[in-house]
Amino acid sequence: MIGNDNVAKAVSDLMLEYSEKLNDSIILVMENCPEDEFKRYRLAAAKVLGEMLLEIMNPLYARHPELKPAGLH
């Protein structure tokens, strides 16, 4: 996907940051909204996280395996 090592590292860091923020938003909604709203939001956020993983992170880590965080599948 991205050949430049420095750019790949920066993109990886951003994707991990965005993933963490999305997870934080899921917790926020879970703790403060009705269950039906939480379930809809969680599904929408999971779609975003899935696309990030499949379309950006997996290809990036395939080219730069040294950047892949431990525990990321």
Side-chain angles (χ1 to χ4, degrees):
M1 168 174 270
I2 296 171
N4 182 294
D5 291 343
N6 293 328
V7 174
K9 171 76 167 104
V11 169
S12 174
D13 290 346
L14 286 169
M15 291 300 105
L16 294 171
E17 178 184 342
Y18 300 155
S19 295
E20 184 178 339
K21 288 182 182 294
L22 274 168
N23 283 325
D24 290 347
S25 75
I26 292 169
I27 293 167
L28 178 67
V29 172
M30 179 181 69
E31 292 175 346
N32 294 284
C33 297
E35 187 173 350
D36 64 320
E37 288 179 9
F38 163 65
K39 287 181 178 180
R40 285 194 309 273
Y41 183 81
R42 181 181 58 187
L43 180 60
K47 288 178 183 178
V48 173
L49 288 164
E51 284 296 308
M52 285 173 47
L53 182 65
L54 294 174
E55 300 299 330
I56 299 173
M57 298 168 84
N58 283 348
L60 185 72
Y61 298 143
R63 184 146 185 191
H64 300 274
E66 72 282 0
L67 296 177
K68 187 174 182 177
L72 185 67
H73 302 285

